Amino acid sequence: MAAVAGVFAASGRQVSLVEQQTDSLIGSHKVVYIDGKPADAATRAYVDSIRQRISVFYYDQFRHFSDPAAPYFLFMSKDAGLAMGIGGCVRMRGYYDWGGAIPASGFAPYLIPMRRDPTNMRHLGTTPAGTALFFRVLGRNKALGDYLLYIECNFNGYGGRDFHLKKAYAIVNKVTIGYANSTFSDPAALPPTVDAQGPNNKITPTTVLVRYMPTFGKRWTAAVSVESPEPSISVDGKSTAKVSAWVPDFAAFGQYQWGRGEHVRLAGILRTLSYRDLIAGRNHNTLGWGLMLSSVAHPAPMLTTYANVCYGHGYQSLGGDLLIGSYDLVGDPEKAGRLYAPASVGWCVGLQYNLRPNLFVSVQASQTRYLPAKDVSPAEYNYGLFGAVNLFWNLTPRMQIGAEFDLGKRCDFSGDSAWARRVGLMAQFSF
């Protein structure tokens, strides 16, 4: 770590405290040789490059704060042609609601009860959701070059305990294929939270895709992808019906980066949303689209800033509060049998202050606002607000605890609103 700090000091840039904590994680890895250490200098040089690729793991374009650390042990063949790590984390969360409890382990303003239930005014809950196990393989091949295989499974299915697939993909040079974070996302630009739900405009969909992501010099990265569509459309079965998705989503982003873990990104997505007008007996295809501008930066060694804003029509199923409902296409009250793609906008800002490399506090605020072009029910969701203050402490590079206070508000089109409060605790052990 001292060597890295020296390089950055020589370049005139101070190493942030976040980077110092990440460097301590990188230094905690152990390489285990299955059939003896490599003998020739060329192979030993490749082993060093493997260590460098471990550091890249922590500065991945799609890595979120809550994602598990890289595997502690890395098993490597003698010729260094293949390296495999098995890792994961054990994560436990506890939370307490009062003054009206949200009926979910995730703190989502959309779910705030508008009418207080005297039998559910307070709630104490616990969940192991987020506990994960993953496999990571690094390899090299004369024909393919360097490649990476990744499989991650989480215990956050039914009841927060069922084991289910979260990610499964391969990266060969600049091409990613598999079940991975959508190109229309920027998990690194989301501020850290104890609560699993996070900001209420959080857009981090996972889908089957093929992505090409080249870099241009040290500053620029671009990506384009073809992604499997999973629209959420509101139909009544009498005048409108769903039509099978038949056109993939197309996503892209352009990014400028100026330091480790610092960038600004503009991402976009185009979607074909199909439905059937049962009255006219016709199928219709509506264009959905979304834009997102996001950034994460270290303006000072102890400060990290997070920001993102998104807007579009028919992209609501990709994340945020409106993911809970069906808002990609909604009914047109003026035309029976017709649907349209409503608009929505969301934003999030966050500030993190590191008291030490392994100890920080953060504060954040976010909002999602529903912007239909037609009249809606007065009881329909209009906007939600989310705010959080938290403290995270890494007792060791692989042991972390956190505490958080969450505050949320739901407001309907009638003007009625309700607030919710939560205190949460988290303990996480990575291996």
Side-chain angles (χ1 to χ4, degrees), residues 95-259:
Y95 57 93
Y96 176 73
D97 294 357
W98 71 96
I102 290 180
S105 59
F107 191 86
Y110 186 96
L111 298 176
I112 295 175
M114 297 303 293
R115 298 291 180 265
R116 300 303 187 192
D117 180 356
T119 67
N120 194 37
M121 295 300 292
R122 293 173 291 181
H123 180 69
L124 175 65
T126 58
T127 176
T131 296
L133 180 67
F134 68 91
F135 300 83
R136 182 179 174 90
V137 175
L138 299 171
R140 58 174 176 173
N141 180 275
K142 291 182 179 180
L144 298 177
D146 291 342
Y147 63 88
L148 178 149
L149 306 177
Y150 186 81
I151 298 176
E152 181 181 344
C153 296
N154 277 27
F155 291 89
N156 58 358
Y158 177 76
R161 292 170 175 82
D162 280 3
F163 195 52
H164 83 288
L165 183 68
K166 184 178 181 180
K167 297 176 184 178
Y169 59 85
I171 299 177
V172 181
N173 293 320
K174 299 178 177 65
V175 177
T176 300
I177 181 169
Y179 188 55
N181 283 108
S182 169
T183 302
F184 186 67
S185 68
D186 191 358
L190 294 171
T193 58
V194 167
D195 186 82
Q197 187 72 19
N200 72 332
N201 76 319
K202 177 181 176 181
I203 296 180
T204 56
T206 305
T207 185
V208 176
L209 56 78
V210 177
R211 174 167 52 228
Y212 177 64
M213 191 170 72
T215 57
F216 305 93
K218 296 181 179 180
R219 302 286 186 176
W220 294 94
T221 301
V224 293
S225 64
V226 179
E227 306 185 358
S228 178
E230 297 181 13
S232 182
I233 297 173
S234 178
V235 297
D236 58 17
K238 299 178 180 178
S239 61
T240 56
K242 294 182 180 180
V243 171
S244 299
W246 61 282
V247 179
D249 293 345
F250 300 93
F253 75 68
Q255 174 177 293
Y256 176 79
Q257 58 262 356
W258 59 92

